[in-house]
Amino acid sequence: MTDPQPDPAPDRPVDAPFGTLAERLVDGADPEQVARDLLDALTPAQRLDLMWGDADFWSGLAEMLEGGYNRRPYVAGEVPELGIPGLRFTDGPRGVSLGHSTCFPVAMARGATWDPELEERVGDAMGAEARAQGANLFGGVCVNLLRHPAWGRAQETFGEDPLHVGLMGAALTRGVQRHVMACVKHFACNSIDNARFQVDVTVSERVLHEVYLPHFRRIVDAGVAVVMSAYNSVNGEWCGQHHELLTTILKQRWGFDGAVISDWVFGLRDARLGALGGLDVEMPFRQIYAHALPGLVASGDVPEARIDDAALRLVRQQVRFSGAGDPDRTSIDVVASDAHRALAREAAVGSIVLLRNEPVGGAPVVPLDASSLRSVAVVGALASVPNLGDVMSSNVHPPSVVTPLAGLRSALGPEVEVAHDDGSDPSAAAVVAGDADAGIVVVGYTERDEGEYLPPMNATFLGQFGVPPMAEADGAALARAAERRTERAPATDVAGPTGGDRRSLALRPEDEALVAAVAAAQPRTVVVMAGSAVVTSRWHDLVPGLLVLWYPGMEGGHALADVLLGRADPGGRLPCVFPRDERGLPAFDPDATAVTYGLLHGHRLLEASGIAPAFPFGFGCSTTTFTLTDARTEPVDVTSDGVVSVRVTVRNTGNRAGTEVVQCYARAIGSAVERPPRWLVGFEKVRLDPGRSVDVSLAIPVAHLAHYDEAVHDFVVEPTDYELIVGRHSLDPDAHVTRVRVT
Ligand code: BGC
């Protein structure tokens, strides 16, 4: 495997001025008035200048190639004479891409925590680290639904369900926005990566509003400052110039008063359509807008009022965030501080999903009994290398990484022999494992298997987009930059042929062979899977222990040891269904030019098709046992604007402290329209010591029972009966079914 940090970032990106906007807010000045006064102070040319990245296109590209990606914030619209800092953008979502920031578990892993309170703390840490390194805009709130697990960027989002993804994304946004602006992306219907520059998504009004937009809306309602459009097109129009999405829905219907930025280079095709469609900034260079907008305004093709609107949106958010963040929390010392690493470890423990935990010698295999262990075999190439996820825009360069092997060695100490075998020869690995008291097999994906995809930047590709004319000097600079970059970092980073969508959901055949060989030699075998959703059906019955580590962040090895040795309960529950095979999933073609998104995907589609999953949505084992009793719903008759309280008593009946996620699903009885067989309407994570119980009360707005009615272009709650099903995962056979009637 390649080193995920071949080209380390500098210790600290260049210091950036935050301007003096905060000073204008003294004495209780009204921020909106401050923004409007600033708008008045800007000349028409300066207002236009806010609408594109400050760097020149060709030299900016050359710098990206040569200096690396995300080495300092990308700036758009700085006006030093008025103290306007401009947007100073850095990427996410597993941490801040600048410098040597804390690397948290990827968003999909954090989705598995089902813990918005924890996610808000993670967001707070990311926001503080962004601000400490000169950024004022964090582009790490990625909430495109996981429509199919083969999506290369699955790891960047929180899961497959609109409510769950929305609640997690809103929590991340709230945390980040204590310090800097957050940017939610990619708006909308972006869930195939190889095809992202070409695919047109056909989606009905109902499916768009009911399935693919609610999580964005929740995050807009939480006050997100910036929305990033998507590369793909929807119903025949590119998202970067999509009037219905950007203006009618986002700005007018949802009342979004922040700014829309493009999904980066090549996120805009037509300046007039972009401006009229509602795109406020073309990032990150002087590309299409910078060259065409002044003329379009002069000719009256784009009204000045549109430019003023974009400028006001941008200035408003910069004023709003100019005073954000406690200076003590945003000094450079917070970056990868002990506290943030501890948080990364807590998030990783909370995200680990224990899928199988069968008894070996009378007790479940996890936790391993550390007091009787004399030796452990840790098998697999991924056990001893950092495996943090994609190395494209979401790359984070932490100062150190605890691998699974390092985590186990540190936790077990010198008394326990920890043997490592890289698994390249399954029979040799089986001998090593057979000789030990337990075998831990680490298998799965890396950044070479899945991630963001960049097509080759050849003339055919570039020809689809408007690029400014290239002067001779630009060409020479670009060629030099490309040459130096090839010398320095051949395999990974921005132009590497890595990642993309997955062609298979199974493990590599050699990984499957390794698991089978170790399992045959060592009864106490636990398989640890790295990466995103995996089809495990061919082999999971062979092993008593199976857990999903995802891409667990810089402290992942410690978190794994915490769970395997029983120092912490694995807190994760699947944020997406793990199917038995590809049957029953929506069609997925990485090379598609057209795709239709339907009403059902994920666990909803599998259940509607009568196909049992390998592991249901919301599933995960604890190392203790819980009961849910006394489920009741009040009131039982409600109106469409009401709130239902679903209560249940949760008791830890085992002898270890642990966590459970109480989940409530709805089912419409006798509905006149097609509905998913069941859908998530609420959840809460609880932590309980042995023998303790707690009454959990989920407040479910009746609005969560609504469907989108195209006849009235709005959500409606059908007056009928609904089951509210409270359990521990979407197919929990012990779930309690209560009923409510909507009148
Ligand atoms: C990606 C975005 C990212 C942006 C800036 C785009 O190609 O799709 O997710 O934030 O680049 O790096």
Side-chain angles (χ1 to χ4, degrees):
M1 195 187 110
T2 50
D3 176 0
Q5 306 166 45
D7 188 11
D11 278 343
R12 188 183 179 185
V14 190
D15 262 335
F18 276 104
T20 52
L21 291 187
E23 290 161 22
R24 292 177 186 258
L25 282 173
V26 290
D27 297 335
D30 171 20
E32 185 66 13
Q33 194 52 50
V34 171
R36 286 179 190 272
D37 291 347
L38 272 169
L39 188 71
D40 289 343
L42 288 162
T43 64
Q46 284 175 319
R47 291 179 200 176
L48 265 170
D49 238 8
L50 301 183
M51 295 181 68
W52 48 77
D54 289 1
D56 181 60
F57 180 79
W58 291 110
S59 58
L61 261 193
E63 190 196 318
M64 249 180 206
L65 280 177
E66 193 175 349
Y69 203 53
N70 271 319
R71 295 306 149 92
R72 57 195 170 92
Y74 292 106
V75 182
E78 180 181 5
V79 189
E81 53 278 32
L82 288 175
I84 296 177
L87 303 180
R88 311 185 88 85
F89 178 98
T90 180
D91 266 307
R94 62 178 190 257
V96 173
S97 297
L98 300 167
H100 294 295
S101 305
T102 308
C103 182
F104 290 90
V106 293
M108 184 61 69
R110 304 196 319 270
T113 67
W114 293 64
D115 191 345
E117 184 276 328
L118 171 61
E119 185 61 15
E120 190 164 332
R121 285 189 283 131
V122 168
D124 178 86
M126 291 182 184
E129 295 198 10
R131 182 137 202 155
Q133 298 179 92
N136 65 4
L137 173 58
F138 176 69
V141 187
C142 175
V143 293
N144 295 110
L145 285 195
L146 187 71
R147 179 178 163 273
H148 191 287
W151 180 34
R153 298 180 77 173
Q155 60 186 277
E156 289 190 54
T157 190
F158 293 104
E160 72 177 38
D161 178 83
L163 177 69
H164 166 265
V165 168
L167 290 170
M168 296 301 288
L172 175 62
T173 301
R174 283 194 303 273
V176 166
Q177 292 204 153
R178 296 212 190 102
H179 307 283
V180 292
M181 294 175 266
C183 169
V184 64
K185 65 191 185 185
H186 311 81
F187 194 67
C189 298
N190 175 303
S191 40
I192 310 177
D193 218 60
N194 289 32
R196 64 181 168 159
F197 293 103
Q198 67 188 37
V199 70
D200 181 49
V201 178
T202 299
V203 61
S204 70
E205 183 184 341
R206 176 180 176 195
V207 172
L208 183 66
H209 284 275
E210 193 172 315
V211 184
Y212 289 95
L213 294 188
H215 34 296
F216 281 101
R217 180 166 197 171
R218 191 171 290 281
I219 292 163
V220 167
D221 289 346
V224 76
V226 172
V227 172
M228 185 189 284
S229 58
Y231 282 126
N232 53 283
S233 65
V234 170
N235 293 336
E237 183 56 282
W238 299 107
C239 289
Q241 55 198 45
H242 204 297
H243 188 272
E244 190 196 344
L245 279 175
L246 305 183
T247 300
T248 313
I249 295 174
L250 177 65
K251 293 180 176 175
Q252 293 172 347
R253 198 158 166 178
W254 297 355
F256 175 63
D257 69 357
V260 179
I261 67 175
S262 71
D263 190 357
W264 239 240
V265 197
F266 312 128
L268 170 66
R269 314 239 172 176
D270 182 301
R272 190 180 69 85
L273 293 177
L276 297 179
L279 183 81
D280 299 308
V281 187
E282 184 188 14
M283 288 296 268
F285 301 133
R286 301 170 60 82
Q287 191 172 341
I288 295 182
Y289 264 177
H291 291 267
L293 260 192
L296 288 167
V297 175
S299 64
D301 285 312
V302 172
E304 256 177 65
R306 175 73 260 278
I307 308 302
D308 293 350
D309 170 58
L312 179 61
R313 290 169 176 277
L314 287 156
V315 172
R316 175 189 286 137
Q317 296 303 333
Q318 292 180 53
V319 169
R320 178 178 160 208
F321 284 87
S322 57
D326 169 356
D328 292 343
R329 294 269 339 274
T330 54
S331 84
I332 195 71
D333 303 337
V334 302
V335 178
S337 61
D338 290 348
H340 288 185
R341 283 166 188 240
L343 185 59
R345 181 169 178 168
E346 182 185 346
V349 166
S351 77
I352 291 174
V353 185
L354 185 57
L355 290 179
R356 280 175 67 81
N357 198 16
E358 298 301 311
V360 180
V365 65
V366 177
L368 299 169
D369 178 7
S371 62
S372 68
L373 277 184
R374 286 177 320 278
S375 61
V376 175
V378 182
V379 174
L382 295 182
S384 61
V385 291
N387 192 19
L388 301 177
D390 191 20
V391 293
M392 289 279 290
S393 68
S394 64
N395 203 356
V396 172
H397 310 264
S400 59
V401 180
V402 183
T403 63
L405 182 63
L408 280 163
R409 283 209 163 121
S410 136
L412 287 166
E415 274 81 60
V416 180
E417 189 199 333
V418 180
H420 175 232
D421 184 289
D422 72 5
S424 49
D425 174 353
S427 355
V431 172
V432 175
D435 287 347
D437 295 334
I440 313 297
V441 190
V442 186
V443 285
Y445 304 124
T446 74
E447 79 278 2
R448 282 178 303 165
D449 303 302
E450 55 180 354
E452 195 175 342
Y453 180 76
L454 204 56
M457 294 284 143
N458 54 28
T460 322
F461 178 77
L462 291 175
Q464 307 171 65
F465 307 96
V467 292
M470 188 199 261
E472 221 173 282
D474 293 329
L478 207 58
R480 270 198 313 276
E483 204 173 296
R484 282 201 212 111
R485 155 190 178 84
T486 317
E487 284 161 19
R488 237 173 348 101
T492 58
D493 213 353
V494 72
T498 60
D501 299 315
R502 273 194 275 152
R503 304 273 165 176
S504 157
L505 298 181
L507 290 181
R508 284 186 209 87
E510 52 277 27
D511 276 350
E512 292 191 349
L514 180 64
V515 169
V518 172
Q522 171 54 264
R524 210 175 284 280
T525 291
V526 181
V527 173
V528 172
M529 283 191 310
S532 303
V534 181
V535 163
T536 60
S537 323
R538 279 205 290 261
W539 52 266
H540 67 232
D541 286 339
L542 300 176
V543 292
L546 169 59
L547 60 82
V548 191
L549 183 61
W550 314 102
Y551 298 108
M554 64 188 291
E555 298 292 316
H558 285 324
L560 176 67
D562 289 342
V563 164
L564 286 177
L565 301 175
R567 296 172 186 182
D569 192 42
R573 303 292 182 267
L574 290 180
C576 54
V577 66
F578 273 29
R580 277 186 208 279
D581 54 39
E582 312 226 351
R583 266 181 329 120
L585 295 178
F588 184 86
D589 174 9
D591 306 312
T593 51
V595 60
T596 299
Y597 284 11
L599 182 66
L600 303 177
H601 70 283
H603 76 89
R604 299 176 181 188
L605 179 56
L606 281 182
E607 188 175 356
S609 317
I611 298 174
F615 300 102
F617 176 74
F619 178 79
C621 307
S622 166
T623 51
T624 183
T625 48
F626 290 95
T627 56
L628 270 54
T629 54
D630 296 329
R632 60 257 181 226
T633 288
E634 298 167 339
V636 288
D637 283 300
V638 279
T639 50
S640 59
D641 55 356
V643 175
V644 180
S645 163
V646 177
R647 302 162 77 101
V648 70
T649 304
V650 186
R651 177 179 293 276
N652 180 345
T653 49
N655 50 18
R656 316 178 62 84
T659 52
E660 188 53 283
V661 178
V662 177
Q663 302 166 33
C664 182
Y665 295 83
R667 183 198 296 285
I669 308 294
S671 173
V673 290
E674 183 192 1
R675 306 296 309 259
R678 78 181 76 198
W679 66 98
L680 183 72
V681 290
F683 61 89
E684 187 163 320
K685 190 161 195 171
V686 294
R687 292 175 179 74
L688 280 177
D689 284 331
R692 305 305 295 242
S693 64
V694 66
D695 280 344
V696 172
S697 172
L698 303 174
I700 315 254
V702 176
H704 287 180
L705 305 176
H707 70 281
Y708 189 91
D709 184 349
E710 294 189 353
V712 295
H713 307 293
D714 207 348
F715 284 92
V716 294
V717 185
E718 210 183 356
T720 186
D721 283 6
Y722 296 83
E723 285 179 356
L724 294 175
I725 308 159
V726 200
R728 288 174 294 185
H729 59 81
S730 61
L731 296 179
D732 185 353
D734 301 323
H736 299 269
V737 181
T738 65
R739 263 200 189 215
V740 65
R741 165 163 300 169
V742 178
T743 51

